[in-house]
Amino acid sequence: AAVSAGARMINDVAALTYDDRSAEVIAASDVPVVLMHHKGPPETMQEDPRYDDVLVEVYLWLEDRIAAAEDAGIKHDRILVDPGFGFGKKLSHNLELMNGLALFHSLGVPVVIGASRKRTIGALSGEAPADRRLGGSIAFALKAAEQGVQIVRTHDVFETVQALRVWRGLRDQALTPRV
C-alpha cells in the first residue's frame, strides 16, 4: 500500500524477517529497501542483549540478510543496510557500532544510520530528554559521515544538513593543497 501511495524507499526494521510476504512485495516493486539489524522481538530486544563481538555479529547477520533479499529477487543495487543503532543493543554496543561503521562498507551496499535522538545520546549527555538531543544527534551524524555513511536519518533535517555542509567544507578545505 505504501509503494502504491508513492513511497520511494522501504525501511524494514526487521530486514525481511517479520513477514514472509515482504521480500516478494519488495522484489516486485522498483523501490530500494533498507535492511536493518535487530536482535530479538521488539518487546524484549532491550532486556539484556549480548554479543561476543557486536561489529562482527551485526556484519554477518546483515550479510545473511542481503543474501536472503537477493535470493528473493531483490536486486543488489536496491539494497541498503542499517546496523540498527539501539535495536537490541546496550550503550556499549551502540558506541562500538558508531566507532566501527566503516566496516559495513565491505558489504557492498550503501550504509544508513539512524541515531537521531536515541537513548544513547541521552545516556552520554546526562539523560537529556529526546527533544533536547539535537547536539548529540549532530555529533553522531558527523561521526557517521566521517566514516562514509551514505544516508543519515534524522529528526532535525535543517540543522543536520547545515552541520554536514559545514563539516564537509572544513574537510575539503583541509584536503586542498596550498599552492
Side-chain angles (χ1 to χ4, degrees):
V3 172
S4 295
R8 292 188 266 169
M9 180 180 284
I10 295 171
N11 182 42
D12 189 347
V13 298
L16 311 176
T17 64
Y18 288 171
D19 187 334
D20 294 337
R21 299 168 297 165
S22 57
E24 178 184 329
V25 169
I26 295 166
S29 76
D30 288 329
V31 299
V33 61
V34 178
L35 303 175
M36 191 187 82
H37 178 270
H38 67 283
K39 186 166 187 162
E43 305 80 31
T44 61
M45 68 174 55
Q46 288 308 117
E47 287 181 7
D48 189 24
R50 294 175 186 263
Y51 298 86
D52 290 326
D53 186 324
V54 69
L55 282 169
V56 171
E57 290 176 49
V58 171
Y59 180 95
L60 294 173
W61 191 91
L62 288 170
E63 187 177 56
D64 287 345
R65 298 316 307 150
I66 291 168
E70 290 176 330
D71 289 348
I74 300 171
K75 294 178 184 170
H76 187 80
D77 65 355
R78 291 194 299 123
I79 299 171
L80 301 89
V81 294
D82 180 338
F85 199 82
F87 282 73
K89 292 156 188 92
K90 295 177 182 179
L91 173 67
S92 60
H93 301 138
N94 290 325
L95 296 177
E96 285 183 61
L97 285 171
M98 187 56 70
N99 285 311
L101 283 174
L103 170 69
F104 296 100
H105 293 298
S106 62
L107 289 168
V109 297
V111 180
V112 178
I113 189 72
S116 177
R117 300 187 188 180
K118 294 284 176 103
R119 275 186 244 157
T120 296
I121 296 166
L124 293 174
S125 62
E127 296 303 329
D131 65 347
R132 301 203 29 104
R133 296 178 185 165
L134 175 60
S137 297
I138 289 173
F140 276 142
L142 295 174
K143 182 68 174 174
E146 176 185 279
Q147 295 185 69
V149 167
Q150 287 87 353
I151 297 178
V152 174
R153 282 195 321 262
T154 185
H155 294 87
D156 305 288
V157 175
F158 176 83
E159 294 86 352
T160 304
V161 169
Q162 182 184 64
L164 288 166
R165 285 181 176 158
V166 170
W167 169 83
R168 178 70 188 259
L170 290 166
R171 187 187 71 143
D172 289 354
Q173 176 62 30
L175 296 175
T176 303
R178 297 198 181 257
V179 181

